[in-house]
Amino acid sequence: MPAVTYPKHEIGDHLVDYEDKKFEDVKAEPGEKALVTFHTVAFEGSIGLVNMLQAKRLQRKGFETTILLYGPGVTLGVKRGFPTLGDEAFPGHQNFNNQLKAFMDEGGKVYCCRFALQALYGHGEPSLQDGIIPISPLDVLDLNLIHRKAGSMIIQTWTL
């Protein structure tokens, strides 16, 4: 067996050069928009959380940013908690709700498809986190088309 001769990693060590940025820090031009769509289930992987962080970053770069929750993505925007709504049953239990709140507090808009909310997941509009705007299922495509026509940055988030 080969011997491991490297010293053990210690708390506080850096394993990569996190300060080495290769590209310019791009900011939005006045009026530029972004749309981040979510067709993913809460807690079924990291993509929901990662792209919420991307949406916040786009917002902070000056893009007028919108989040669309549709299909299983509506599960990201419902109030949750245990034993009561708002309680954090385990660390990270409220991460989606906290990220959406922070995004909206910074001026972002969040829309949620009413069809998926009721027909697929058995929730009503009172289940939605405060600030989320419910929309008709017919608005889902139109919201995408409006952003396409505006030349928006669009990030489509899907999991199967």
Side-chain angles (χ1 to χ4, degrees), residues 16-148:
V16 298
D17 182 354
Y18 65 89
E19 292 180 339
D20 180 28
K21 186 164 174 5
K22 301 293 187 201
F23 304 102
E24 67 179 289
D25 186 16
V26 177
K27 302 288 186 192
E29 297 293 328
E32 280 192 296
K33 298 180 181 195
L35 173 66
V36 184
T37 70
F38 291 83
H39 194 281
T40 186
V41 179
F43 302 103
E44 292 292 320
S46 64
I47 195 67
L49 181 59
V50 168
N51 278 348
M52 279 187 192
L53 296 173
Q54 292 284 48
K56 280 175 63 179
R57 189 152 185 244
L58 284 162
Q59 183 77 15
R60 291 173 180 171
K61 285 178 164 286
F63 290 86
E64 181 185 316
T65 309
T66 300
I67 286 177
L68 170 62
L69 307 174
Y70 72 117
V74 302
T75 63
L76 298 168
V78 296
K79 294 175 186 171
R80 58 179 42 82
F82 189 84
T84 64
L85 292 177
D87 291 339
E88 190 170 51
F90 55 86
H93 185 210
Q94 296 290 341
N95 64 358
F96 299 114
N97 300 96
N98 292 340
Q99 292 300 323
L100 287 171
K101 180 181 183 323
F103 174 76
M104 290 184 288
D105 286 349
E106 293 181 21
K109 290 188 175 118
V110 180
Y111 295 96
C112 179
C113 175
R114 286 181 170 122
F115 175 82
L117 189 64
Q118 178 178 320
L120 302 181
Y121 295 98
H123 287 284
E125 293 174 22
S127 296
L128 289 175
Q129 181 176 341
D130 295 343
I132 295 177
I133 304 160
I135 61 172
S136 164
L138 300 176
D139 285 328
V140 169
L141 179 59
D142 287 324
L143 181 60
N144 276 277
L145 293 171
I146 287 166
H147 278 81
R148 180 182 165 271

Side-chain angles (χ1 to χ4, degrees), residues 6-16:
Y6 297 104
K8 291 174 80 175
H9 294 271
E10 300 295 332
I11 300 299
D13 285 352
H14 297 279
L15 302 181
V16 298

